[in-house]
Every structure is written in structure tokens, then in C-alpha cells.
Amino acid sequence: MSRRSGILEFAVLGLLRESPMHGYELRKRLNTSLGVFRAFSYGTLYPCLKTLVASGWLIEETGSTPEDALAAPLAGRRAKIVYRLTAEGKEHFEELLSQTGPDAYEDEHFAARFAFFGQTSRDVRMRVLEGRRSRLEERLEKMRASLARTRERLDDYTLELQRHGMESVEREVRWLNELIESERAGRDLKGSASGGLAQHDTTSGATGGLPRPGDDPRPDTPDDTAT
């Protein structure tokens, strides 16, 4: 499994743990709540859903209400497919939530992990936050060393881009310091974790590599009957 597909499966399981969803609704939640998935298609989501169903972590149901089940035949369309987390899927997601290895600190995976901090134990949150901070501090040190070596050979615009990247990493380190301090003091963040993530840019400027808003030029066309 690729790192990208692993992150998507983690996020899908996390969202479906909250409630069952149609594929269209699930994609909208991934787009709006988890910025890391702003640019991905149904062609990416549905194979992921099929894999999770085949693994026994999700089940497919026809329609979420009696009205859905009746409306589809009358309209000559197949009923919408609703995806629901199984007991095994919930157990698997909880196992994923407890992991604090190096992958949890990387740009894309950290964004997805942070979005589900509300479902994560405090000690795991601390390890992930401290790991992320350590990773960024290492990155910042390398950036500073590189800039010191090449400063005289860079034109003004390239130099400004380097500085911008460093400032972005420095901002995230400060943000992480505040979060770690709150966790140590036993304080919870106000509002949802995903909301907090949306307000803070974890892309680390030019160094993060997360998709930006507007990266997906395709319209949001619903296709809930895919199987």
C-alpha cells in the first residue's frame, strides 16, 4: 500500500466512524474538512472504498432511509450506496490511531492525524506533536545551513523564497509549541480538531507539498450509485 492510499483509507475510516455516508457526502467531507484531500477524484475514492469493503472494515448498504429505497425505483435509478463502518473496521481504525511512528510526522499524514485528534488519546497526541516538532526543527536547521552556504549565489527572488519557506516552518513550530503546552497543562482545544487544522496552514510554505485550494478544476458531480 502506498503512503497516499494509506492516508486516504485512514481518513475514510475516521469519517465513517462518526456516521455512515454516501460516497458523494464522504468526498465532500474529505474535501472540506481535510485539506490534504482537496484535489482527488471519485476514481481515487471508490477503489479505496472497495478495498475497505473487501477487507471487512466497511459494509455497503442500499439507501439510508426508506424514502431513498423507494425513490430510486420510481426514478429508474439504482439506490444510493451508503458505507458503514463494521466492528472490525472500528477496531482497525483505533489501532491506526494509536500508532506514533515516523509516518505520523510527515506533512500529509500529520494533517490527517491531527484532524482526528479529538478521537485520539492524550498520550498519543503528545507523541505525535513532539515527533512533528522534532521533524520540523531538523528541517529548519537544514534550511538555515543551506541558506548560509548559498546566500551569496542566490538572486533576490530565490533568496526571498527561501526565507518564506523558513518563516512558514518557524510558524508551525511555534504553533506546535502552543499545542504541546496546552496538552501538558491538560487543556483541550476549543472546537473540533479538524476546524483547528483548517485555520492553521500545515503545508510549511514551499516545503510542505499539500494540495492548495482550487487545485481540483473538476466540478463536484455526485455519483453515489457507484459500486
Side-chain angles (χ1 to χ4, degrees):
M1 179 191 303
S2 69
R3 175 177 294 177
R4 178 73 171 176
S5 63
I7 298 170
L8 179 57
E9 290 185 8
F10 171 84
V12 168
L13 291 172
L15 290 175
L16 290 177
R17 187 187 186 191
E18 298 173 4
S19 65
M21 297 184 200
H22 302 301
Y24 176 65
E25 180 185 3
L26 184 58
R27 182 176 183 243
K28 291 286 289 184
R29 288 290 306 278
L30 288 166
N31 286 161
T32 57
S33 300
L34 304 177
V36 66
F37 299 111
R38 286 191 182 109
F40 85 111
S41 65
Y42 284 107
T44 301
L45 176 59
Y46 281 107
C48 171
L49 291 170
K50 289 301 183 184
T51 297
L52 295 175
V53 169
S55 299
W57 297 329
L58 300 183
I59 57 173
E60 296 177 331
E61 299 176 339
T62 303
S64 57
T65 66
E67 289 77 11
D68 285 342
L70 291 173
L74 292 175
R77 298 179 301 176
R78 289 182 294 170
K80 293 180 179 180
I81 300 298
V82 175
Y83 295 89
R84 183 185 300 274
L85 198 65
T86 64
E88 292 80 5
K90 181 178 179 180
E91 182 178 347
H92 179 63
F93 179 68
E94 290 174 351
E95 179 183 345
L96 294 176
L97 277 181
S98 69
Q99 295 178 3
T100 59
D103 279 353
Y105 317 149
E106 299 299 334
D107 294 325
E108 292 186 345
H109 209 156
F110 174 74
R113 285 299 301 271
F114 188 86
F116 294 101
F117 263 21
Q119 303 179 40
T120 307
S121 64
R122 190 181 300 275
D123 62 322
V124 171
R125 293 198 302 263
M126 279 292 294
R127 289 198 293 272
V128 173
L129 290 171
E130 289 175 341
R132 175 66 175 175
R133 181 177 63 180
S134 177
R135 180 63 52 85
L136 289 183
E137 287 174 340
E138 292 174 3
R139 181 184 299 175
L140 191 57
E141 186 174 342
K142 291 178 181 178
M143 293 172 73
R144 287 169 175 162
S146 175
L147 183 60
R149 289 194 307 269
T150 60
R151 181 186 300 271
E152 300 302 325
R153 300 196 300 271
L154 299 177
D155 62 52
D156 291 343
Y157 293 100
T158 304
L159 184 61
E160 190 61 28
L161 183 62
Q162 295 273 349
R163 288 173 175 164
H164 173 67
M166 288 176 53
E167 290 172 358
S168 297
V169 177
E170 289 169 346
R171 283 196 300 271
E172 186 171 347
V173 170
R174 290 194 296 270
W175 176 67
L176 289 167
N177 285 336
E178 294 172 359
L179 290 174
I180 291 170
E181 181 181 350
S182 294
E183 293 288 349
R184 286 177 176 163
R187 298 191 299 268
D188 291 323
L189 295 181
K190 293 181 179 179
S192 66
S194 58
L197 182 64
Q199 295 172 14
H200 180 82
D201 181 8
T202 59
T203 62
S204 297
T207 65
L210 301 186
R212 299 286 191 170
D215 283 348
D216 186 0
R218 295 176 297 276
D220 246 348
T221 305
D223 185 12
D224 291 333
T225 59
T227 58

